[in-house]
Amino acid sequence: HVTGDLRHLCARQLLLSDSGVGGDLSSLCACPQLSVLHLSSARGAPFHPSRLPECFADLHRLTELLLHNCSLTGTIPSAFGRLPALSKLHLADNRLSGALPDSIGELSRLTSLNTLSNELTGTLPRSLGNLSSLTYLSLGANRMEGTMPPELGALSQLEFLLLPSNRFVGEIPRTLGNLTALTQLSLGHNFLSGPVP
């Protein structure tokens, strides 16, 4: 395993999924040219601190942040809304908690958002409706609650809307009928009621 200070790995793209690499995630904040970061700790090398470093928000060239199965805890920093180039944010299979920050709606270039299998709570932010480039939204297997905001119907490019195994209540918004690009809709294992629009 490669562990410890990761600054010596600075590059424009770090593709280290399933590599056994672990170490100090915050040390990557010293890599201002970083545009793509793919990490996972499937082979057991731990990352520390276990929280998502807020200083990642200073990596203004970052276009892809994929951190799967990294045993991450804590919340998704609201400062991530300052990442102007971010197109993919994948944080699946961690132990992240708290609400999805409203600032996520400021990521105007985001095409894919995946927080599958975490411990996220709170409601879906209405600001998600601002993500006009979004094609993939996967927030399943969390503890999110409340109603589904009608603003989801503004996601005109959305092809996948995957929200199963949460605690959503109420009716499915009629505005989802506006999602003409949608190819897959998964809302099972919630507490939804009323007719299918």
Side-chain angles (χ1 to χ4, degrees):
H1 296 318
V2 178
T3 59
D5 192 328
L6 299 175
R7 278 178 292 184
H8 66 284
L9 298 177
C10 273
R12 287 191 176 140
Q13 298 188 5
L14 279 179
L15 309 175
L16 299 171
S17 293
D18 301 322
S19 64
V21 168
D24 183 0
L25 283 177
S26 61
S27 64
L28 293 174
C29 296
C31 303
Q33 75 275 29
L34 190 62
S35 64
V36 175
L37 177 59
H38 295 188
L39 295 177
S40 74
S41 58
R43 296 186 187 179
F47 291 104
H48 60 85
S50 62
R51 290 176 174 265
L52 273 171
E54 188 161 338
C55 59
F56 276 7
D58 297 325
L59 299 174
H60 296 301
R61 296 184 183 180
L62 202 61
T63 61
E64 297 184 14
L65 180 58
L66 280 64
L67 302 174
H68 290 173
N69 193 29
C70 292
S71 300
L72 295 173
T73 61
T75 61
I76 299 171
S78 61
F80 279 19
R82 299 199 311 257
L83 289 167
L86 197 66
S87 64
K88 290 184 180 180
L89 178 59
H90 289 196
L91 303 170
D93 299 307
N94 286 291
R95 297 196 298 273
L96 296 169
S97 58
L100 201 61
D102 285 338
S103 62
I104 213 88
E106 298 170 23
L107 298 173
S108 60
R109 296 188 182 182
L110 199 67
T111 62
S112 183
L113 175 60
N114 182 358
T115 66
L116 178 72
S117 295
N118 277 281
E119 299 171 8
L120 296 177
T121 57
T123 59
L124 283 176
R126 294 181 179 274
S127 63
L128 285 175
N130 299 333
L131 300 176
S132 58
S133 299
L134 201 67
T135 61
Y136 185 89
L137 179 61
S138 176
L139 308 176
N142 281 284
R143 301 173 185 171
M144 303 182 79
E145 57 192 14
T147 58
M148 295 173 58
E151 286 82 358
L152 291 176
L155 301 175
S156 60
Q157 305 299 314
L158 198 65
E159 299 175 19
F160 297 88
L161 178 56
L162 312 174
L163 306 176
S165 301
N166 278 286
R167 299 172 181 174
F168 295 122
V169 298
E171 296 189 359
I172 299 171
R174 291 185 178 276
T175 55
L176 294 194
N178 300 332
L179 301 178
T180 55
L182 200 66
T183 61
Q184 187 171 340
L185 174 64
S186 178
L187 303 174
H189 302 286
N190 281 289
F191 300 98
L192 298 170
S193 57
V196 176

